[in-house]
Amino acid sequence: MGLVFSSEVRAPLAEVYAWHERPGALARLSPPWLPLRIRSEAESLRDGRAVLALPGGYPLVARHSGYDPPHRFVDELTTSPVPWRHTHEFSAVSADTTRMTDTVETPLPSALLRGMFTYRHRQLAADLAAHRWAAGLLDRSLSQDRRRRSALTVAVTGSSGLVGSALCALLTTGGHRVVRLVRREARNADERSWNPGRPASGMLAGVDAVVHLAGATIAGRFTAEHKREVRDSRLGPTRALAELAGATVDGPRTFVTASAIGYYGADRGDEPLVEDSDPGDGFLAEVVTAWEQAAAPAADAGLRTVVVRTGLVQSPAGGQLRAMLPLFVAGLGGRLGSGRQWMSWIGIDDLVDVYLRAIVDDTLAGPVNAVAPEPMRNTEYTRVLARVLRRPALIPVPAFGPRLILGTEGAAEIAEASQRVLPGVLSRLGHRYRHDDLAAALGHVLGREAGQCVRDQRAGGRASSRSSP
C-alpha cells in the first residue's frame, strides 16, 4: 500500500507510454522547486538507471524494472536513505484517453508528495497538448512542402541554460532530435562543437532549424566590463551563426533567436508596447536592437527568421523569481520602490511553447513578444506571489536597495524597469497559453496548487481526477 495518484490525459495509450520512453521525460516531469539536479537520464525503461543529485552532490540512483509496454514500468531508488519504489501504470480509457496511475511505496508522508504528482500529471497533459498542436502545424506545412518532415532536427545554443534545458526536453519528448551546439569538444552524436566567433562550415548540415539562446547573463552591476561582455556575447556570435545558417546548402530553413523586452527601453510609462512599437533608449535597448539586427543575414538568405522578445520568465530555477523567493518565503517580501512599474511576465513552459511555435509555424516571422496577455504592476505582482506562498507582503524594498547591488544604471535597466508589453503577434494567431493568469503560473512552478486528488491508501482509499487540457 502507498500513495496513489491517478488521472486521465487526453492522448492514446501508446503515445503516453512512448512519451515516457523518450529523452527529456525526466526533466519535463521534475518539479522546478525541488533541490534536485539531473546528472543523467536512463537510456531504457527496461533496465536503465537515472542519476540525480541532491544539494552537496549526494547521488540518487533510480533503477528501472517491471518493463511491460505500454502498461507499466517501475523505478526504485537504490542509494537513497529513504526507501522509494514507484510503479507507473497506464491503461486505455478510450481510443484517445489514457489513465495514468502512480503508486509510491515510501514512508514519506503523502502531504510532501501531493504537489509533486499534481505537477507531474498536469505537466504531462499540457506537454502532450503542445505536441498535438505542433504536429498539426507541421502537417499543414507538409502539404505545402513535401521536403518537410514531421520529426525535425533542431540545433540549439545555450542548451544548458534555464530556457534551453526546458526547450530541449520538450523537443525530444515530442520525438524531435536536438543537436546541442557546445563550446567544448562534442561528446556524442547529438552534440557539435561551436566556436561562437568562427563556427565550422559543416556545423549546421542536416539541421532543419536553429534556436540561438546563448549569451552572457544581463544581471549584474553595469560596469564597463560587464556591459562589454553582454554586448560581445550576443552581437558577433549571432551574426556568425546567422551567416552560417544562410550559407549552409543542406542546412536550416528556420532561424530562431532569443531577444528581450529590453528592446523597448527601461521606462515607457503606461504605453502599451507591441512588436511594431519603436525601440527605446538606454544600454539594453541599444544592445537588444543590435542583437536583433545581427540575425539579419539569415533572413536575407531566405530563412524564416523569428526574434523572441522574452519577458520576465517565471521559474524558481532561475531569473527574477529565483532572486525574489528567499525574501518572500521568509515573509519579508514586498513591492519595490513605488511599486508602479509594469512587469511583463511569462511562465517558463509558456515560453518554451512560444519557441516550439517559432520552430514549427511557417506563418510566424519577425519579432514576437513572448509575454503573458496581462502585464501587471509590481505592487500587484508581489501581492499575488505572497498569496500563492501564503506569506505577507508588507515590507517594501527601498529603491536604493537594488542600486547598491546593481549600480544606478543597472538598477534602472533591470530591477526598476517598467515595460507594459503585450503579445500582439501571438494574440492575432490565437495562441493558447498554459497559464495566462499569474497566480496559476506561480502555483504550478512553486508546487502550490491544490492536490485534492492524491490520497494515501493507508488512510482511506484512492481518488482520481481528470487532468486533460
Side-chain angles (χ1 to χ4, degrees):
M1 306 294 283
L3 175 71
V4 177
F5 183 24
S6 183
S7 70
E8 293 178 11
V9 61
R10 194 170 61 214
L13 172 62
E15 182 180 324
V16 174
Y17 198 90
W19 185 96
H20 285 80
E21 291 197 288
R22 294 181 185 131
L26 180 58
R28 293 303 293 162
L29 293 177
S30 296
W33 67 85
L34 291 182
L36 290 174
R37 182 171 59 87
I38 300 172
R39 286 186 179 175
S40 63
E41 290 189 288
E43 294 184 358
S44 167
L45 296 184
R46 180 188 298 275
D47 54 7
R49 69 173 198 166
V51 181
L52 303 95
L54 290 168
Y58 184 87
L60 294 177
V61 178
R63 294 188 180 276
H64 289 300
S65 62
Y67 185 66
D68 180 21
H71 300 292
R72 182 177 183 269
F73 70 91
V74 177
D75 57 69
E76 186 171 5
L77 292 179
T78 60
T79 60
S80 171
V82 178
W84 176 281
R85 179 180 172 84
H86 179 188
T87 301
H88 309 248
E89 294 177 294
F90 309 86
S91 60
V93 176
S94 65
D96 64 352
T97 303
T98 301
R99 174 166 289 279
M100 304 182 302
T101 301
D102 290 288
T103 303
V104 180
E105 298 170 57
T106 180
L108 293 174
S110 59
L112 292 178
L113 304 177
R114 285 195 187 101
M116 179 176 75
F117 282 99
T118 298
Y119 175 90
R120 290 170 65 101
H121 281 235
R122 291 184 178 176
Q123 188 80 336
L124 174 62
D127 275 15
L128 288 170
H131 293 317
R132 279 198 302 275
W133 64 250
L137 292 172
L138 281 173
D139 287 344
R140 181 185 67 192
S141 66
L142 274 170
S143 65
Q144 300 168 356
D145 185 347
R146 300 307 302 175
R147 292 174 297 176
R148 293 291 299 274
R149 301 183 298 277
S150 57
L152 303 177
T153 297
V154 183
V156 181
T157 72
S159 61
S160 62
L162 174 66
V163 179
S165 57
L167 175 62
C168 290
L170 181 69
L171 289 171
T172 53
T173 52
H176 304 292
R177 180 192 176 202
V178 170
V179 175
R180 290 168 170 81
L181 303 182
V182 297
R183 302 188 192 192
R184 49 171 170 75
E185 184 177 347
R187 296 172 180 166
N188 54 58
D190 290 327
E191 292 184 349
R192 295 180 187 176
S193 294
W194 171 49
N195 180 337
R198 187 175 294 178
S201 59
M203 187 181 72
L204 298 180
V207 167
D208 295 298
V210 174
V211 178
H212 179 40
L213 301 170
T217 180
I218 292 173
R221 197 172 187 89
F222 273 30
T223 62
E225 181 181 358
H226 177 68
K227 291 163 72 172
R228 183 171 53 254
E229 183 182 13
V230 167
R231 182 188 298 108
D232 292 350
S233 68
R234 285 165 172 77
L235 306 193
T238 300
R239 180 168 295 278
L241 194 62
E243 289 173 348
L244 177 62
T248 303
V249 176
D250 182 27
R253 298 174 65 249
T254 301
F255 188 86
V256 183
T257 182
S259 182
I261 60 172
Y263 173 89
Y264 300 107
D267 189 353
R268 297 284 286 269
D270 294 339
E271 177 186 357
L273 301 166
V274 291
E275 285 82 356
D276 58 1
S277 297
D278 293 333
D281 300 318
F283 169 71
L284 289 182
E286 293 173 1
V287 168
V288 173
T289 300
W291 185 14
E292 295 186 2
Q293 292 170 347
D300 293 343
L303 276 65
R304 183 174 61 85
T305 302
V306 185
V307 175
V308 181
R309 292 177 182 162
T310 307
L312 299 171
V313 183
Q314 302 302 296
S315 171
Q320 153 255 0
L321 179 59
R322 182 180 183 179
M324 296 174 66
L325 271 179
L327 276 178
F328 276 80
V329 169
L332 301 175
R335 60 176 169 78
L336 174 61
S338 70
R340 290 192 53 78
Q341 57 270 45
W342 287 101
M343 299 181 67
S344 299
W345 61 276
I346 187 168
I348 179 63
D349 294 310
D350 276 310
L351 177 57
V352 295
D353 279 353
V354 173
Y355 275 100
L356 179 60
R357 179 162 210 142
I359 293 167
V360 303
D361 188 349
D362 277 352
T363 69
L364 193 59
V368 177
N369 288 341
V371 293
E374 298 290 340
M376 57 179 54
R377 295 192 188 274
N378 175 264
T379 298
E380 180 61 20
Y381 176 93
T382 55
R383 185 181 298 125
V384 172
L385 176 57
R387 186 171 72 243
V388 169
L389 293 171
R390 300 181 182 90
R391 295 289 192 275
L394 304 176
I395 304 175
V397 178
F400 68 80
R403 293 171 192 167
L404 292 175
I405 301 172
L406 301 172
T408 302
E409 184 181 13
E413 297 241 14
I414 300 176
E416 300 168 4
S418 180
Q419 298 132 339
R420 188 184 180 188
V421 183
L422 304 177
V425 169
L426 294 176
S427 295
R428 287 195 296 273
L429 290 172
H431 183 80
R432 181 178 177 182
Y433 288 79
R434 302 189 189 202
H435 300 109
D436 56 7
D437 173 79
L438 179 63
L442 292 175
H444 181 64
V445 297
L446 296 175
R448 300 305 176 104
E449 294 179 299
Q452 296 91 342
C453 305
V454 183
R455 298 276 181 84
D456 187 337
Q457 277 196 335
R458 293 166 295 188
R462 54 196 276 182
S464 66
S465 72
R466 187 172 184 84
S467 180
S468 56

